[in-house]
Amino acid sequence: MKKIFMELSHPYKRGIKKVILMTKLTFFLSVFLVLQMSASVYSQTRLSVESKNKTVKEVLWDIEKQSEFRFFYNEDF
């Protein structure tokens, strides 16, 4: 008897739960897609470097000129 009374007194209870669940899923999917898009934008950089008869310092300098990468190294090694 109590169960039937509770279902009759809250007919929209199931509908509200579905809306909340859909809202949560939409939010998490949106965050996931935004993170994926930002990761794909910064994931790869193409470079063209000719490295015959060059020192490591010269090759790294060429890479720095072509990209936003910066290298720190010890010349003694």
Side-chain angles (χ1 to χ4, degrees):
M1 184 78 166
K2 287 183 182 181
K3 186 175 181 180
I4 294 171
F5 178 73
M6 289 179 71
E7 286 179 341
L8 292 175
S9 65
H10 299 291
Y12 299 108
K13 191 173 184 180
R14 289 183 187 161
I16 291 173
K17 284 185 179 182
K18 285 184 182 180
V19 169
I20 291 172
L21 179 63
M22 291 301 291
T23 305
K24 287 180 183 179
L25 288 173
T26 304
F27 174 75
F28 288 119
L29 276 174
S30 298
V31 169
F32 177 75
L33 290 174
V34 167
L35 291 175
Q36 284 294 90
M37 287 174 34
S38 66
S40 67
V41 170
Y42 296 108
S43 64
Q44 294 181 355
T45 302
R46 292 186 180 257
L47 298 171
S48 175
V49 177
E50 181 85 22
S51 63
K52 290 184 179 179
N53 298 324
K54 286 187 176 181
T55 63
V56 174
K57 182 178 181 178
E58 293 171 334
V59 173
L60 294 178
W61 179 251
D62 290 340
I63 293 172
E64 286 182 355
K65 286 192 294 186
Q66 293 182 25
S67 68
E68 60 190 32
F69 298 115
R70 299 293 171 253
F71 296 96
F72 296 99
Y73 62 95
N74 187 348
E75 290 185 29
D76 295 335
F77 291 124

Coordinates of all heavy atoms in Angstrom, one line a residue:
M1 N 0.8 -1.2 0.0 CA 0.0 0.0 0.0 C 0.9 1.3 0.0 O 0.6 2.2 -0.7 CB -0.9 0.0 1.2 CG -1.9 1.1 1.3 SD -3.2 0.8 0.1 CE -4.3 2.0 0.7
K2 N 1.9 1.3 0.8 CA 2.8 2.4 0.9 C 3.5 2.6 -0.5 O 3.7 3.8 -0.9 CB 3.8 2.3 2.0 CG 3.3 2.5 3.4 CD 4.4 2.4 4.4 CE 3.8 2.5 5.8 NZ 4.9 2.4 6.8
K3 N 3.9 1.5 -1.1 CA 4.6 1.6 -2.4 C 3.7 2.3 -3.4 O 4.2 3.1 -4.2 CB 5.1 0.2 -2.8 CG 6.0 0.2 -4.0 CD 6.5 -1.2 -4.3 CE 7.4 -1.1 -5.5 NZ 7.9 -2.5 -5.8
I4 N 2.5 1.8 -3.5 CA 1.6 2.4 -4.5 C 1.3 3.9 -4.2 O 1.3 4.7 -5.1 CB 0.2 1.6 -4.5 CG1 0.5 0.2 -5.0 CG2 -0.8 2.3 -5.3 CD1 -0.7 -0.7 -4.8
F5 N 1.2 4.2 -2.9 CA 1.0 5.6 -2.6 C 2.1 6.5 -2.9 O 2.0 7.6 -3.4 CB 0.7 5.7 -1.1 CG 0.5 7.1 -0.6 CD1 -0.7 7.8 -0.9 CD2 1.5 7.8 0.1 CE1 -0.9 9.1 -0.5 CE2 1.3 9.1 0.5 CZ 0.1 9.8 0.2
M6 N 3.4 6.0 -2.7 CA 4.6 6.8 -3.0 C 4.7 7.0 -4.5 O 5.1 8.0 -5.0 CB 5.8 6.1 -2.5 CG 5.9 6.2 -0.9 SD 7.4 5.3 -0.3 CE 8.6 6.5 -0.9
E7 N 4.4 5.9 -5.3 CA 4.4 6.1 -6.8 C 3.4 7.1 -7.3 O 3.7 7.8 -8.2 CB 4.2 4.7 -7.5 CG 5.4 3.8 -7.3 CD 5.2 2.5 -8.0 OE1 4.1 2.1 -8.3 OE2 6.2 1.8 -8.3
L8 N 2.2 7.1 -6.7 CA 1.2 8.0 -7.1 C 1.5 9.4 -6.6 O 1.2 10.4 -7.3 CB -0.2 7.6 -6.5 CG -0.8 6.3 -7.1 CD1 -2.0 6.0 -6.4 CD2 -1.0 6.5 -8.6
S9 N 2.2 9.6 -5.5 CA 2.5 10.9 -5.0 C 3.7 11.6 -5.7 O 3.8 12.8 -5.7 CB 2.7 10.9 -3.5 OG 3.9 10.2 -3.2
H10 N 4.6 10.8 -6.4 CA 5.7 11.3 -7.1 C 5.8 10.7 -8.5 O 6.7 9.9 -8.8 CB 7.0 10.9 -6.3 CG 7.1 11.4 -5.0 ND1 7.3 12.8 -4.7 CD2 7.1 10.9 -3.7 CE1 7.3 13.0 -3.4 NE2 7.2 11.8 -2.8
P11 N 4.9 11.1 -9.3 CA 4.9 10.5 -10.7 C 6.0 10.9 -11.6 O 6.4 10.2 -12.5 CB 3.5 10.9 -11.3 CG 3.2 12.2 -10.5 CD 3.8 12.0 -9.2
Y12 N 6.7 12.0 -11.2 CA 7.8 12.5 -12.1 C 9.1 12.2 -11.5 O 10.2 12.6 -12.1 CB 7.7 14.1 -12.2 CG 6.4 14.5 -12.8 CD1 5.4 15.1 -12.0 CD2 6.1 14.3 -14.1 CE1 4.2 15.6 -12.6 CE2 4.9 14.7 -14.7 CZ 4.0 15.3 -13.9 OH 2.8 15.8 -14.5
K13 N 9.2 11.3 -10.5 CA 10.4 11.0 -9.8 C 11.4 10.3 -10.8 O 12.6 10.6 -10.9 CB 10.2 10.1 -8.6 CG 11.4 9.9 -7.7 CD 11.0 9.2 -6.5 CE 12.2 9.1 -5.5 NZ 11.8 8.4 -4.3
R14 N 10.8 9.4 -11.6 CA 11.7 8.6 -12.6 C 12.1 9.6 -13.7 O 13.3 9.5 -14.2 CB 10.9 7.5 -13.1 CG 10.7 6.3 -12.2 CD 10.0 5.2 -12.8 NE 9.7 4.2 -11.8 CZ 8.8 3.3 -11.9 NH1 8.1 3.2 -13.1 NH2 8.6 2.4 -11.0
G15 N 11.3 10.4 -14.1 CA 11.6 11.4 -15.2 C 12.8 12.3 -14.8 O 13.7 12.6 -15.5
I16 N 12.7 12.8 -13.5 CA 13.7 13.7 -13.0 C 15.1 13.0 -12.9 O 16.1 13.5 -13.3 CB 13.3 14.3 -11.6 CG1 12.1 15.2 -11.8 CG2 14.5 15.0 -11.0 CD1 11.6 15.7 -10.5
K17 N 15.1 11.7 -12.5 CA 16.3 10.9 -12.4 C 16.9 10.8 -13.8 O 18.1 10.9 -14.0 CB 16.1 9.6 -11.8 CG 15.9 9.6 -10.3 CD 15.7 8.2 -9.7 CE 15.6 8.3 -8.2 NZ 15.5 6.9 -7.6
K18 N 16.1 10.5 -14.8 CA 16.6 10.4 -16.2 C 17.2 11.7 -16.7 O 18.3 11.7 -17.3 CB 15.5 9.9 -17.1 CG 15.1 8.5 -17.0 CD 14.1 8.1 -18.0 CE 13.7 6.6 -17.8 NZ 12.7 6.2 -18.8
V19 N 16.6 12.8 -16.4 CA 17.1 14.1 -16.8 C 18.4 14.4 -16.1 O 19.4 14.9 -16.8 CB 16.1 15.2 -16.5 CG1 16.7 16.6 -16.7 CG2 14.8 15.1 -17.4
I20 N 18.5 14.1 -14.9 CA 19.8 14.3 -14.1 C 20.9 13.4 -14.7 O 22.0 13.9 -14.9 CB 19.6 14.1 -12.6 CG1 18.7 15.2 -12.0 CG2 20.9 14.1 -11.9 CD1 18.3 15.0 -10.6
L21 N 20.6 12.2 -15.0 CA 21.5 11.3 -15.5 C 22.0 11.7 -16.9 O 23.2 11.7 -17.2 CB 20.9 9.8 -15.6 CG 21.9 8.8 -16.3 CD1 23.1 8.6 -15.4 CD2 21.1 7.5 -16.4
M22 N 21.1 12.2 -17.8 CA 21.4 12.7 -19.1 C 22.3 13.9 -19.0 O 23.2 14.1 -19.8 CB 20.1 12.9 -19.9 CG 19.4 11.7 -20.3 SD 20.4 10.5 -21.3 CE 20.5 11.5 -22.8
T23 N 22.0 14.8 -18.0 CA 22.8 16.0 -17.8 C 24.2 15.7 -17.4 O 25.2 16.2 -18.0 CB 22.1 16.9 -16.8 OG1 20.8 17.2 -17.1 CG2 22.9 18.2 -16.6
K24 N 24.4 14.7 -16.5 CA 25.7 14.3 -16.1 C 26.5 13.7 -17.3 O 27.6 14.0 -17.5 CB 25.6 13.3 -15.0 CG 25.2 13.9 -13.6 CD 25.1 12.8 -12.6 CE 24.7 13.3 -11.3 NZ 24.6 12.2 -10.3
L25 N 25.8 12.8 -18.0 CA 26.5 12.2 -19.2 C 26.9 13.2 -20.2 O 28.0 13.2 -20.8 CB 25.6 11.1 -19.8 CG 25.4 9.8 -19.0 CD1 24.4 8.9 -19.6 CD2 26.7 9.1 -18.8
T26 N 26.0 14.2 -20.5 CA 26.3 15.2 -21.5 C 27.5 16.1 -21.0 O 28.4 16.4 -21.8 CB 25.1 16.1 -21.7 OG1 24.0 15.3 -22.1 CG2 25.4 17.2 -22.7
F27 N 27.5 16.4 -19.7 CA 28.7 17.2 -19.2 C 30.0 16.4 -19.3 O 31.0 17.0 -19.8 CB 28.4 17.5 -17.7 CG 29.5 18.2 -17.0 CD1 29.8 19.5 -17.3 CD2 30.3 17.5 -16.1 CE1 30.9 20.2 -16.7 CE2 31.4 18.1 -15.5 CZ 31.7 19.5 -15.8
F28 N 30.0 15.2 -18.9 CA 31.3 14.4 -18.9 C 31.7 14.2 -20.4 O 32.9 14.2 -20.7 CB 31.1 13.1 -18.2 CG 31.1 13.3 -16.7 CD1 30.0 12.9 -15.9 CD2 32.2 13.9 -16.0 CE1 30.0 13.1 -14.6 CE2 32.1 14.1 -14.6 CZ 31.0 13.7 -13.9
L29 N 30.8 13.9 -21.3 CA 31.2 13.7 -22.7 C 31.7 15.0 -23.3 O 32.7 15.0 -24.0 CB 30.0 13.3 -23.5 CG 29.7 11.8 -23.5 CD1 28.4 11.4 -24.2 CD2 30.8 11.0 -24.1
S30 N 31.1 16.1 -22.9 CA 31.6 17.4 -23.4 C 33.0 17.7 -22.9 O 33.9 18.2 -23.7 CB 30.7 18.6 -22.9 OG 29.4 18.4 -23.4
V31 N 33.3 17.5 -21.6 CA 34.6 17.7 -21.1 C 35.6 16.8 -21.8 O 36.7 17.2 -22.2 CB 34.6 17.5 -19.6 CG1 36.0 17.4 -19.0 CG2 33.8 18.5 -18.9
F32 N 35.2 15.5 -22.0 CA 36.1 14.5 -22.6 C 36.4 15.0 -24.0 O 37.6 14.9 -24.5 CB 35.4 13.2 -22.6 CG 36.2 12.1 -23.4 CD1 37.4 11.6 -22.8 CD2 35.8 11.7 -24.6 CE1 38.1 10.6 -23.4 CE2 36.6 10.7 -25.3 CZ 37.7 10.2 -24.7
L33 N 35.4 15.4 -24.8 CA 35.7 15.8 -26.2 C 36.5 17.1 -26.3 O 37.4 17.2 -27.1 CB 34.3 16.1 -26.9 CG 33.5 14.8 -27.2 CD1 32.2 15.2 -27.7 CD2 34.3 13.9 -28.1
V34 N 36.4 18.0 -25.3 CA 37.2 19.2 -25.3 C 38.6 18.9 -25.0 O 39.6 19.4 -25.7 CB 36.6 20.3 -24.3 CG1 37.7 21.4 -24.1 CG2 35.3 20.8 -24.8
L35 N 38.8 18.0 -24.1 CA 40.2 17.5 -23.8 C 40.9 16.8 -24.9 O 42.0 17.0 -25.2 CB 40.2 16.7 -22.5 CG 39.9 17.4 -21.2 CD1 39.8 16.4 -20.1 CD2 40.9 18.5 -20.9
Q36 N 40.1 16.0 -25.6 CA 40.6 15.3 -26.8 C 41.0 16.2 -27.9 O 42.0 16.1 -28.6 CB 39.6 14.3 -27.3 CG 39.5 13.0 -26.5 CD 40.7 12.2 -26.5 OE1 41.6 12.4 -25.7 NE2 40.8 11.3 -27.5
M37 N 40.2 17.2 -28.1 CA 40.4 18.2 -29.2 C 41.7 19.0 -28.9 O 42.5 19.2 -29.7 CB 39.3 19.2 -29.4 CG 38.1 18.5 -30.1 SD 36.6 19.5 -30.2 CE 37.2 21.1 -30.4
S38 N 41.9 19.4 -27.6 CA 43.1 20.1 -27.2 C 44.3 19.3 -27.3 O 45.4 19.7 -27.7 CB 42.9 20.7 -25.9 OG 42.9 19.7 -24.9
A39 N 44.2 18.0 -27.0 CA 45.3 17.1 -27.1 C 45.7 16.9 -28.6 O 46.9 16.8 -28.9 CB 45.0 15.8 -26.5
S40 N 44.8 16.8 -29.5 CA 45.1 16.6 -30.9 C 45.7 17.8 -31.5 O 46.5 17.7 -32.5 CB 43.9 16.1 -31.6 OG 42.9 17.2 -31.7
V41 N 45.4 19.0 -31.0 CA 46.0 20.2 -31.6 C 47.5 20.3 -31.3 O 48.2 20.7 -32.1 CB 45.2 21.4 -31.1 CG1 45.9 22.7 -31.4 CG2 43.8 21.4 -31.6
Y42 N 47.9 19.9 -30.1 CA 49.3 20.1 -29.7 C 50.1 18.8 -29.7 O 51.2 18.7 -29.2 CB 49.3 20.6 -28.3 CG 48.8 22.0 -28.2 CD1 47.5 22.2 -27.6 CD2 49.4 23.1 -28.7 CE1 47.0 23.5 -27.5 CE2 48.9 24.4 -28.7 CZ 47.7 24.6 -28.0 OH 47.2 25.8 -28.0
S43 N 49.6 17.7 -30.3 CA 50.2 16.5 -30.2 C 51.4 16.3 -31.2 O 52.3 15.5 -30.8 CB 49.2 15.3 -30.4 OG 48.7 15.4 -31.8
Q44 N 51.4 16.9 -32.4 CA 52.5 16.6 -33.3 C 53.0 17.9 -34.0 O 52.2 18.8 -34.2 CB 52.0 15.7 -34.4 CG 51.7 14.3 -33.9 CD 51.2 13.4 -35.0 OE1 51.1 13.8 -36.1 NE2 51.0 12.1 -34.7
T45 N 54.3 17.9 -34.2 CA 54.9 19.0 -35.0 C 55.8 18.3 -36.0 O 56.6 17.5 -35.7 CB 55.7 19.9 -34.0 OG1 54.9 20.4 -33.0 CG2 56.4 21.0 -34.8
R46 N 55.7 18.8 -37.2 CA 56.5 18.2 -38.3 C 57.8 19.1 -38.5 O 57.7 20.3 -38.6 CB 55.8 18.1 -39.6 CG 54.7 17.1 -39.5 CD 54.0 17.0 -40.9 NE 53.0 16.0 -40.8 CZ 53.1 14.7 -41.3 NH1 54.2 14.3 -41.8 NH2 52.1 13.9 -41.2
L47 N 58.9 18.4 -38.6 CA 60.2 19.1 -38.8 C 60.9 18.5 -39.9 O 60.8 17.3 -40.2 CB 61.0 19.1 -37.5 CG 60.5 19.7 -36.3 CD1 61.4 19.4 -35.1 CD2 60.4 21.2 -36.5
S48 N 61.8 19.3 -40.6 CA 62.6 18.7 -41.6 C 64.0 19.2 -41.3 O 64.4 20.4 -41.3 CB 62.2 19.3 -43.0 OG 63.1 18.8 -43.9
V49 N 64.9 18.2 -40.9 CA 66.3 18.6 -40.5 C 67.2 17.7 -41.3 O 67.1 16.5 -41.3 CB 66.4 18.3 -39.0 CG1 67.8 18.6 -38.5 CG2 65.4 19.2 -38.2
E50 N 68.2 18.4 -41.8 CA 69.3 17.7 -42.5 C 70.4 17.6 -41.5 O 70.9 18.6 -41.0 CB 69.8 18.5 -43.7 CG 70.9 17.9 -44.5 CD 70.3 16.9 -45.6 OE1 69.2 17.0 -45.9 OE2 71.1 16.1 -46.0
S51 N 70.9 16.3 -41.2 CA 71.8 16.2 -40.1 C 73.1 15.5 -40.6 O 73.9 15.0 -39.7 CB 71.2 15.4 -39.0 OG 70.9 14.1 -39.5
K52 N 73.5 15.5 -41.8 CA 74.7 15.0 -42.3 C 75.9 15.9 -41.9 O 75.8 17.1 -42.2 CB 74.7 14.7 -43.8 CG 73.8 13.6 -44.2 CD 73.9 13.3 -45.6 CE 73.0 12.2 -46.0 NZ 73.0 11.9 -47.4
N53 N 76.9 15.3 -41.3 CA 78.1 16.1 -40.9 C 77.8 17.3 -40.1 O 78.4 18.4 -40.3 CB 78.9 16.5 -42.2 CG 79.3 15.3 -43.0 OD1 79.7 14.3 -42.5 ND2 79.3 15.4 -44.3
K54 N 76.9 17.2 -39.2 CA 76.6 18.3 -38.2 C 76.8 17.8 -36.8 O 76.6 16.6 -36.5 CB 75.2 18.7 -38.4 CG 74.9 19.6 -39.6 CD 73.5 20.1 -39.6 CE 73.3 21.0 -40.8 NZ 71.9 21.6 -40.7
T55 N 77.1 18.7 -36.0 CA 77.2 18.4 -34.5 C 75.8 18.3 -33.9 O 74.9 18.8 -34.5 CB 78.1 19.4 -33.8 OG1 77.4 20.7 -33.9 CG2 79.5 19.5 -34.4
V56 N 75.8 17.8 -32.7 CA 74.5 17.8 -32.0 C 74.0 19.2 -31.7 O 72.8 19.5 -31.9 CB 74.6 17.0 -30.7 CG1 73.4 17.1 -29.9 CG2 75.0 15.6 -31.0
K57 N 74.9 20.1 -31.4 CA 74.5 21.5 -31.2 C 73.9 22.1 -32.4 O 72.9 22.8 -32.3 CB 75.8 22.2 -30.8 CG 75.6 23.7 -30.4 CD 76.8 24.3 -30.0 CE 76.6 25.8 -29.6 NZ 77.8 26.4 -29.1
E58 N 74.4 21.8 -33.6 CA 73.9 22.4 -34.8 C 72.5 21.9 -35.1 O 71.6 22.6 -35.6 CB 74.8 22.2 -36.0 CG 76.1 22.9 -35.8 CD 77.2 22.5 -36.9 OE1 77.1 21.4 -37.4 OE2 78.0 23.3 -37.2
V59 N 72.3 20.6 -34.9 CA 71.0 19.9 -35.2 C 70.0 20.5 -34.2 O 68.9 20.8 -34.6 CB 71.1 18.4 -35.1 CG1 69.7 17.8 -35.1 CG2 72.0 17.8 -36.1
L60 N 70.3 20.6 -33.0 CA 69.4 21.2 -32.0 C 69.1 22.6 -32.3 O 67.9 23.1 -32.2 CB 69.9 21.0 -30.6 CG 70.0 19.6 -30.0 CD1 70.6 19.6 -28.6 CD2 68.7 18.9 -30.1
W61 N 70.0 23.3 -32.8 CA 69.8 24.7 -33.2 C 68.8 24.8 -34.3 O 68.0 25.6 -34.4 CB 71.1 25.4 -33.5 CG 71.0 26.8 -34.0 CD1 71.2 27.3 -35.2 CD2 70.7 27.9 -33.1 NE1 71.0 28.6 -35.2 CE2 70.7 29.1 -34.0 CE3 70.4 28.1 -31.8 CZ2 70.4 30.3 -33.5 CZ3 70.1 29.4 -31.3 CH2 70.1 30.5 -32.2
D62 N 69.0 23.9 -35.3 CA 68.1 23.9 -36.5 C 66.6 23.5 -36.0 O 65.7 24.1 -36.5 CB 68.5 22.8 -37.5 CG 69.8 23.2 -38.2 OD1 70.1 24.5 -38.2 OD2 70.4 22.3 -38.8
I63 N 66.5 22.6 -35.1 CA 65.2 22.3 -34.6 C 64.6 23.5 -33.8 O 63.4 23.8 -34.0 CB 65.3 21.0 -33.6 CG1 65.6 19.8 -34.5 CG2 63.9 20.8 -32.9 CD1 65.9 18.6 -33.6
E64 N 65.4 24.2 -33.1 CA 64.9 25.3 -32.3 C 64.4 26.4 -33.3 O 63.4 27.1 -33.0 CB 65.9 25.9 -31.4 CG 66.2 25.0 -30.2 CD 67.2 25.6 -29.2 OE1 67.8 26.7 -29.6 OE2 67.4 25.1 -28.1
K65 N 65.1 26.6 -34.4 CA 64.7 27.6 -35.4 C 63.4 27.3 -36.1 O 62.6 28.2 -36.4 CB 65.8 27.8 -36.4 CG 67.0 28.5 -35.9 CD 67.9 29.0 -37.0 CE 68.6 27.8 -37.7 NZ 69.6 28.1 -38.7
Q66 N 63.1 26.0 -36.3 CA 61.9 25.6 -37.0 C 60.7 25.4 -36.1 O 59.6 25.2 -36.6 CB 62.2 24.2 -37.7 CG 63.1 24.4 -38.9 CD 63.3 23.0 -39.6 OE1 62.4 22.2 -39.5 NE2 64.4 22.9 -40.2
S67 N 60.9 25.3 -34.8 CA 59.8 25.0 -33.9 C 59.8 25.9 -32.7 O 60.6 26.7 -32.5 CB 59.9 23.5 -33.5 OG 61.0 23.3 -32.7
E68 N 58.9 25.6 -31.8 CA 58.8 26.3 -30.5 C 59.6 25.5 -29.4 O 59.5 25.9 -28.2 CB 57.4 26.5 -30.1 CG 56.6 25.2 -29.9 CD 55.1 25.4 -29.8 OE1 54.6 26.3 -30.3 OE2 54.5 24.6 -29.0
F69 N 60.3 24.5 -29.7 CA 61.0 23.7 -28.7 C 62.3 24.4 -28.4 O 63.0 25.0 -29.2 CB 61.3 22.3 -29.3 CG 60.1 21.5 -29.5 CD1 59.8 21.1 -30.8 CD2 59.2 21.1 -28.5 CE1 58.7 20.4 -31.1 CE2 58.1 20.4 -28.8 CZ 57.8 20.0 -30.1
R70 N 62.7 24.2 -27.1 CA 64.0 24.7 -26.7 C 64.7 23.6 -26.0 O 64.1 22.8 -25.2 CB 63.9 25.9 -25.7 CG 63.1 27.1 -26.3 CD 64.0 27.7 -27.4 NE 63.3 28.7 -28.2 CZ 62.8 28.6 -29.4 NH1 63.0 27.5 -30.1 NH2 62.1 29.5 -30.0
F71 N 66.1 23.5 -26.2 CA 66.9 22.4 -25.6 C 67.9 23.0 -24.7 O 68.5 24.0 -25.0 CB 67.5 21.6 -26.7 CG 66.6 20.9 -27.6 CD1 66.2 21.5 -28.8 CD2 66.1 19.7 -27.3 CE1 65.3 20.9 -29.7 CE2 65.2 19.1 -28.1 CZ 64.8 19.6 -29.3
F72 N 68.1 22.3 -23.6 CA 69.2 22.6 -22.6 C 70.0 21.3 -22.5 O 69.5 20.3 -22.3 CB 68.6 23.0 -21.3 CG 67.8 24.3 -21.3 CD1 66.4 24.2 -21.4 CD2 68.4 25.5 -21.3 CE1 65.7 25.3 -21.4 CE2 67.7 26.6 -21.3 CZ 66.3 26.6 -21.4
Y73 N 71.3 21.5 -22.7 CA 72.2 20.3 -22.6 C 73.6 20.8 -22.1 O 73.9 21.9 -22.2 CB 72.3 19.6 -24.0 CG 72.9 20.5 -25.1 CD1 74.2 20.4 -25.4 CD2 72.1 21.4 -25.8 CE1 74.8 21.2 -26.4 CE2 72.6 22.2 -26.8 CZ 74.0 22.1 -27.0 OH 74.5 22.9 -28.0
N74 N 74.3 19.8 -21.8 CA 75.7 20.0 -21.3 C 76.6 19.7 -22.5 O 76.7 18.5 -23.0 CB 76.0 19.1 -20.1 CG 77.3 19.5 -19.5 OD1 78.1 20.2 -20.1 ND2 77.6 18.9 -18.3
E75 N 77.4 20.6 -22.9 CA 78.3 20.4 -24.1 C 79.5 19.5 -23.7 O 80.1 18.9 -24.6 CB 78.9 21.7 -24.6 CG 77.8 22.6 -25.2 CD 78.4 23.9 -25.8 OE1 79.6 23.8 -26.2 OE2 77.7 24.9 -25.9
D76 N 79.7 19.3 -22.5 CA 80.8 18.4 -22.1 C 80.5 16.9 -22.3 O 81.4 16.1 -22.5 CB 81.2 18.6 -20.6 CG 81.7 19.9 -20.3 OD1 82.2 20.6 -21.2 OD2 81.5 20.4 -19.1
F77 N 79.2 16.6 -22.4 CA 78.9 15.2 -22.7 C 79.0 14.9 -24.2 O 79.0 14.0 -24.8 CB 77.5 14.8 -22.2 CG 77.4 14.8 -20.7 CD1 76.4 15.6 -20.1 CD2 78.2 14.0 -20.0 CE1 76.3 15.6 -18.7 CE2 78.0 14.0 -18.6 CZ 77.1 14.8 -18.0

